[in-house]
Amino acid sequence: MSEVLLQQIERLAADAKTKSTQLHKGETMIEIEQSQLKNFITRLVNQIKIRHLSTITGLDLGQNIGIIYHFWRDRNTIHLKTFVPKTKPTTVSIVDIIPGAILYEMEIHDMLGVMFVGNPWMDKKLLLPDNWPDDLPPPLLKNVKPADIRKRLGLEVEKK
Amino acid sequence: MTEDKPPRKEESAGLMKYSAENLVPFGPIHPALKEPEYFKLVLEGEKIVEVIPRIGYVHRGLEKAAESRPWVQNMYMFERTCGICSFVHSLTYGQAVEGLTIYEIPRRAKFIRTIIAELERIHSHLLWVGLMGHWAGFETLFMWVWRDREVVLDLVEAISGNRIHKSMNAFCGVRRDMPEGMEDRIVERMKFLVDRANYYKGIVDTEETMLERTEDIGRVSAETAEKLCAVGPMARYVGLRRDIRLNDPYAAYDEVPFDIVTSKEGDVHALLKLRLDEMIVAANMVSYAVKHLPEGPIRIKIPPVIPAGEHSSHSEAPRGEIFYYVKSSGGRTPDRVKSRQPTMANLPTALEILKGQTIADVPVVLTAIDPCFGCMDRMSFLDIESNRQWTWSGEELRRYGINYYFPERMKMR
């Protein structure tokens, strides 16, 4: 990671009352509060000109669900990590800043049940089948077993 | 050429008499092709005003499956994500995992990875150019290009033993060495492919069918493409210099000289030429890498347990950036693997391009972005007002598109 960029990122992180840590060469991880997220990304896009969002990853971390936004420019990768509690999985959408994030947010909504407030397509399914029962938990959570899903959807073939 | 053509609306009046907004469900399934997708097209007359995507018909839950499989087994599972750009998936997943270990990849392995990745790029681009010819109504191009594609597949088979799923990668190296005495054959075949690519460039520049169907179609501005996070040729054809091989070199891309191709025109015709140019660049890279292949080991064996940590890796597939994120808790299986394919990243841009196009251009535009064409084999049309409904197969849609542009040709058949 170039020195100048690193300093800029550190300054941004300090403004958001958090710290940046170096994961590997050229890779920075920043853990950030949900309330600071939009402000941080706006400044990342407008001031530092890191405009390309690779994707958004959702992680099941036990009590919380982790959401990581992966940005890169040249040889620098920035992971922006935020947490939402499993009891109330709601966070803000960044579609108004980065319109390209719309499908990534839909994917996490399908797979981990996180609601992104502000995403216009949150009521639609992207990956899950149309006959997915509403009371079935999102499939990528750790406690969900593929066999249970198959059984519930009537796809399990009984062994004789 | 454009002057003596009747206005589009009157020309199609006999085929589609609509007054209000129409909804056109587009897709979703064809079992033989790689990725069925489904688009809900909202029409105003002939024009598309809104597109709503629905994917996941072949969602196989790879990310969930990866959590219960050993690290190395996942490499060959992720290779089977795609039937065209298979190698680059295992490469990127491998790089993400290798980043968590302390081992250095041998230089010879890096070169072999580069050679296979570039051969795969040539293969993918050739396949695409052929399909473009097919959907535009120029079958001869399709036949020629797919014949030349066999040249690449034969080489890949000679090197790896397989045509599509090469299974060449291993953690910190490759599984098979380059066969002895292949150098001259590869260089000679690459020269042949460069000649063919130059010839096709001449064709797409002069042949009326291709010009008519591709020029000025599928335009998008550079700002929009950047905002929508477009990757690969979809970013480069509007002038963005976005290529992971150059921006963030992996494998041996920092040792093999090359320059990326960009275009300013920003239509499907520019995309055609851009992909043919990229093929030439890739063929030259393969020749260079084969001639300068370093000696040494091709692989380091690593233990099956990967140290705890998080790492991500990205690389340039034929269609654009592929992204993998892995999280390990120090066990024999990963904690989480996230994989993002270029079509997913390019889909928002594709939807933006489709807006304002006509139905006749849908096959060309959708093929241009190189997602998947499976969706085009079954389309059903629904007129909301009269509740009239009908279905077109992919072939009927193709004929409709050709008839729209060249009515006299269809009469002759």
Side-chain angles (χ1 to χ4, degrees):
Chain A
M1 177 158 289
S2 73
E3 287 299 310
V4 184
L5 199 73
L6 194 64
Q7 279 171 11
Q8 284 177 321
I9 300 265
E10 271 171 4
R11 211 174 307 139
L12 267 197
D15 284 354
K17 297 187 185 65
T18 180
K19 254 196 353 234
S20 63
T21 44
Q22 291 291 314
L23 277 185
H24 302 274
K25 192 167 163 281
E27 246 182 284
T28 315
M29 170 71 83
I30 301 167
E31 290 185 8
I32 193 164
E33 290 271 322
Q34 241 191 82
S35 52
Q36 299 281 341
L37 182 76
K38 267 186 103 160
N39 187 19
F40 192 95
I41 293 180
T42 312
R43 294 182 65 182
L44 201 67
V45 170
N46 294 335
Q47 287 177 12
I48 310 186
K49 312 258 184 275
I50 297 184
R51 295 211 179 95
H52 185 73
L53 175 75
S54 271
T55 188
I56 310 175
T57 303
L59 297 163
D60 183 356
L61 299 171
Q63 294 290 314
N64 293 321
I65 290 173
I67 298 170
I68 314 178
Y69 298 80
H70 308 277
F71 292 88
W72 68 267
R73 196 185 80 191
D74 297 335
R75 298 189 183 210
N76 316 303
T77 311
I78 293 146
H79 306 295
L80 216 54
K81 199 183 210 174
T82 178
F83 303 97
V84 292
K86 259 189 193 171
T87 46
K88 188 176 169 288
T90 306
T91 184
V92 284
S93 166
I94 58 160
V95 170
D96 47 343
I97 312 166
I98 300 172
I102 187 162
L103 295 180
Y104 306 142
E105 290 183 352
M106 283 171 86
E107 185 187 357
I108 294 177
H109 179 236
D110 272 11
M111 289 297 152
L112 288 157
V114 178
M115 192 58 122
F116 289 84
V117 179
N119 185 322
W121 285 349
M122 247 336 60
D123 57 331
K124 295 179 176 62
K125 284 196 177 91
L126 184 75
L127 292 169
L128 291 181
D130 288 329
N131 61 348
W132 188 264
D134 287 336
D135 55 330
L136 208 62
L140 210 53
L141 294 177
K142 290 272 181 195
N143 58 0
V144 178
K145 300 267 180 305
D148 295 344
I149 297 174
R150 278 200 291 273
K151 209 172 183 179
R152 192 56 211 285
L153 292 176
L155 299 170
E156 194 80 306
V157 183
E158 273 184 44
K159 282 177 192 156
K160 281 177 186 170
Chain B
M1 212 153 33
T2 37
E3 281 87 17
D4 48 14
K5 205 167 81 178
R8 290 182 178 192
K9 244 188 182 154
E10 286 167 30
E11 193 178 83
S12 59
L15 276 163
M16 307 196 76
K17 276 180 196 148
Y18 288 142
S19 54
E21 230 181 36
N22 307 302
L23 192 72
V24 181
F26 193 95
I29 239 150
H30 186 286
L33 298 171
K34 57 191 164 68
E35 306 169 299
E37 283 173 30
Y38 170 61
F39 299 99
K40 229 181 249 171
L41 309 178
V42 181
L43 298 183
E44 228 176 62
E46 273 271 289
K47 271 221 162 93
I48 298 161
V49 286
E50 176 73 274
V51 192
I52 299 157
R54 176 81 167 77
I55 56 178
Y57 289 94
V58 280
H59 195 274
R60 288 166 288 183
L62 287 188
E63 287 176 17
K64 183 85 179 170
E67 288 171 11
S68 60
R69 281 166 170 77
W71 288 97
V72 69
Q73 205 175 333
N74 281 331
M75 179 172 254
Y76 304 106
M77 187 178 73
F78 279 115
E79 183 156 9
R80 274 136 189 90
T81 307
C82 181
I84 296 169
C85 48
S86 55
F87 176 81
V88 74
H89 281 275
S90 64
L91 172 67
T92 320
Y93 169 76
Q95 282 174 6
V97 177
E98 281 154 10
L100 291 172
T101 65
I102 48 164
Y103 303 98
E104 200 53 43
I105 305 150
R107 210 165 145 247
R108 189 177 172 89
K110 285 186 176 177
F111 267 76
I112 295 176
R113 283 178 173 187
T114 310
I115 292 168
I116 303 281
E118 289 311 307
L119 284 174
E120 194 173 78
R121 191 179 317 278
I122 299 172
H123 157 220
S124 175
H125 282 2
L126 276 173
L127 188 134
W128 177 85
V129 171
L131 285 170
M132 202 64 209
H134 172 70
W135 287 109
F138 188 16
E139 288 292 339
T140 318
L141 184 69
F142 173 79
M143 297 294 176
W144 279 345
V145 167
W146 278 48
R147 185 199 60 191
D148 295 341
R149 180 175 156 259
E150 289 298 312
V151 171
V152 187
L153 289 177
D154 287 346
L155 283 183
V156 169
E157 193 184 356
I159 294 169
S160 73
N162 302 304
R163 278 160 66 91
I164 301 295
H165 295 301
K166 292 110 188 157
S167 296
M168 277 290 273
N169 262 317
F171 289 135
C172 298
V174 289
R175 286 174 59 211
R176 301 183 193 92
D177 205 346
M178 289 286 280
E180 298 263 326
M182 278 283 285
E183 190 192 311
D184 291 342
R185 187 177 157 200
I186 293 177
V187 171
E188 185 258 317
R189 297 274 83 185
M190 286 303 122
K191 208 168 150 284
F192 168 77
L193 284 173
V194 170
D195 288 347
R196 293 306 291 176
N198 279 323
Y199 178 61
Y200 294 136
K201 264 169 71 183
I203 285 184
V204 299
D205 261 352
T206 50
E207 167 65 33
E208 193 195 319
T209 316
M210 294 311 278
L211 286 175
E212 189 85 343
R213 293 305 302 274
T214 57
E215 261 188 339
D216 243 348
I217 284 167
R219 279 198 186 278
V220 68
S221 70
E223 294 87 73
T224 315
E226 189 171 24
K227 262 192 182 158
L228 292 169
C229 304
V231 294
M234 290 301 289
R236 294 195 284 276
Y237 93 122
V238 291
L240 298 177
R241 279 182 75 80
R242 190 175 281 169
D243 191 320
I244 320 288
R245 291 176 294 166
L246 189 82
N247 299 138
D248 188 6
Y250 54 96
Y253 285 106
D254 44 357
E255 295 182 60
V256 180
F258 75 103
D259 195 18
I260 60 169
V261 188
T262 55
S263 166
K264 280 268 180 283
E265 293 158 53
D267 56 1
V268 176
H269 186 248
L271 254 179
L272 258 172
K273 288 212 292 184
L274 183 132
R275 283 204 167 98
L276 286 168
D277 275 334
E278 271 188 9
M279 253 180 63
I280 295 171
V281 172
N284 290 336
M285 282 167 87
V286 171
S287 301
Y288 180 91
V290 170
K291 280 183 200 154
H292 295 80
L293 193 65
E295 293 295 321
I298 56 162
R299 183 180 177 182
I300 298 172
K301 295 233 172 183
I302 66 165
V305 176
I306 303 293
E310 302 169 77
H311 192 246
S312 78
S313 176
H314 56 179
S315 54
E316 188 76 17
R319 289 174 178 74
E321 179 200 18
I322 277 188
F323 181 93
Y324 272 79
Y325 163 87
V326 294
K327 181 166 182 281
S328 166
S329 50
R332 279 171 183 273
T333 58
D335 224 21
R336 175 88 166 90
V337 182
K338 164 82 187 171
S339 106
R340 199 272 284 133
Q341 286 73 39
T343 302
M344 180 83 165
N346 277 335
L347 208 50
T349 321
L351 304 182
E352 191 62 34
I353 294 174
L354 274 177
K355 284 180 202 168
Q357 304 284 342
T358 57
I359 292 192
D361 289 332
V362 168
V364 172
V365 171
L366 271 187
T367 311
I369 56 179
D370 199 1
C372 54
F373 26 85
C375 45
M376 265 177 271
D377 223 54
R378 193 188 169 281
M379 280 175 68
S380 70
F381 290 74
L382 172 68
D383 185 346
I384 302 171
E385 287 252 303
S386 62
N387 216 10
R388 198 161 71 90
Q389 198 171 354
W390 74 97
T391 307
W392 274 353
S393 70
E395 180 55 25
E396 281 164 316
L397 175 70
R398 192 177 76 88
R399 290 177 76 87
Y400 172 75
I402 296 169
N403 186 39
Y404 184 87
Y405 279 93
F406 316 111
E408 68 290 344
R409 282 196 201 173
M410 293 310 270
K411 266 179 231 146
M412 272 157 57
R413 285 185 192 180

